[in-house]
Amino acid sequence: MCVTSEVPGSVTLKGDRRSTNNKLRREHGGDNNQFLPGQRRDVTYVSRMQAVQAAINAQIETMANDASKKTKVGLITFSNEVTIYGDGTGQPTTVAGDRLNDMEALLASGQDARARMGLDVSESATALGEAIFGLEESGPTALGPAVTVALGMVSGFNAAGARIVLCTDGLANVGLGSLDEIPEGANPIREAAEGFYHSLGESAVAAGAVVDVISIIGQDADLENLGAVSEATGGTVTRVDPVGLQQDFAGILQNPVVATNVSVKVLLHAGMQFREQSEATAAPTPAANSTAAAAAAAAAEDAASGGGGGG
């Protein structure tokens, strides 16, 4: 997350620390410019962390301004441990050590955090913003445990339609679902890791939650396994440039969940038939979640198929 990208022109993101850094430099007698010979001066260097912080905070502010929706937002971060901020108003809790390999402990931690989230985002936005801009980069990636905690947070009474947005620039390498140093080819270690992510997808569908994955371009996040979780829940997998993260983040949240645990039965007119008749007798697919975009795409495809049959 500390890797920077060149952005043409002067760009200022919320949470920018240039003024603080310049003040610190002046206090220590180093008020000269810090450019190397031949270095471009018409660009701004933006770190991945800055882009993530600005994007998340912007969406929280947008949701907070819509007081008609009683939306709750919880923040979970992960490095070599998982930190649960909840709605930002309480003391953060940390999950570390052996608990990162304990599915039940991770789910319970998320459920406990949900019980303490009493405020809607319109009331907790300021506290969440402070927590977000206080984050610092760290190396390891306890991604699997963090998603498990998030599932615990969204599961339970009246949780259908919840959304988990996972933003990462690294490969899961700590705790459950670690994908680091797995031998090539089929082997028990790889099968266990893949089975873990498939089980997360199934658990999310059962909870009525959609999982969206945002992966930052330039790093290996193993989208094959993360994509299995997202695909099972009707979510999206998006690879983005750090600078464009805010728009992509907004696009995901503007695609609402319209139904959960949905099964579809198609009744075909007697004068029509499936292009492949075997499709008509194929085994039904498991129940899944549906977003507005997915529903619109399905409706468009249905209309196109109907037009072809009529012609």
Side-chain angles (χ1 to χ4, degrees), residues 36-47:
L36 296 173
Q39 183 179 359
R40 292 183 62 181
R41 304 192 182 198
D42 59 344
V43 297
T44 303
Y45 292 90
V46 177
S47 74

Side-chain angles (χ1 to χ4, degrees), residues 66-83:
D66 187 357
S68 64
K69 296 180 180 179
K70 301 298 182 181
T71 305
K72 286 185 170 59
V73 174
L75 175 66
I76 299 171
T77 65
F78 51 96
S79 53
N80 63 320
E81 57 191 20
V82 177
T83 304

Side-chain angles (χ1 to χ4, degrees), residues 103-302:
M103 175 76 83
E104 295 303 318
L106 292 166
L107 290 171
S109 295
Q111 291 163 357
D112 291 344
R114 176 181 173 83
R116 297 193 301 271
M117 288 174 55
L119 300 180
D120 298 328
V121 67
S122 59
E123 303 168 296
S124 63
T126 300
L128 283 169
E130 291 174 355
I132 289 166
F133 288 115
L135 299 178
E136 296 184 356
E137 301 90 345
S138 185
T141 309
L143 188 154
V147 177
T148 306
V149 169
L151 280 176
M153 183 179 286
V154 302
S155 63
F157 177 73
N158 201 29
R163 187 163 226 132
I164 297 171
V165 181
L166 171 67
C167 189
T168 182
D169 73 338
L171 183 70
N173 54 22
V174 176
L176 290 175
S178 175
L179 300 167
D180 193 26
E181 298 182 357
I182 294 181
E184 293 293 331
N187 59 76
I189 300 176
R190 180 175 297 278
E191 291 173 2
E194 291 174 350
F196 168 73
Y197 287 102
H198 280 288
S199 70
L200 284 184
E202 293 171 355
S203 298
V205 170
V210 171
V211 180
D212 296 296
V213 178
I214 297 178
S215 172
I216 297 178
I217 292 173
Q219 293 292 317
D220 177 18
D222 197 311
L223 293 183
E224 180 179 354
N225 284 292
L226 294 180
V229 181
S230 181
E231 181 179 1
T233 64
T236 60
V237 177
T238 309
R239 283 179 59 79
V240 300
D241 182 271
V243 181
L245 179 58
Q246 187 163 320
Q247 288 182 321
D248 289 282
F249 209 104
I252 287 174
L253 295 181
Q254 288 170 2
N255 184 20
V257 179
V258 295
T260 60
N261 291 310
V262 178
S263 296
V264 177
K265 183 178 181 179
V266 179
L267 301 178
L268 201 62
H269 188 276
M272 301 176 67
Q273 67 178 22
F274 288 99
R275 290 173 182 160
E276 296 293 336
Q277 191 60 34
S278 59
E279 295 179 14
T281 56
T285 56
N289 302 326
S290 179
T291 62
E301 183 177 349
D302 181 56

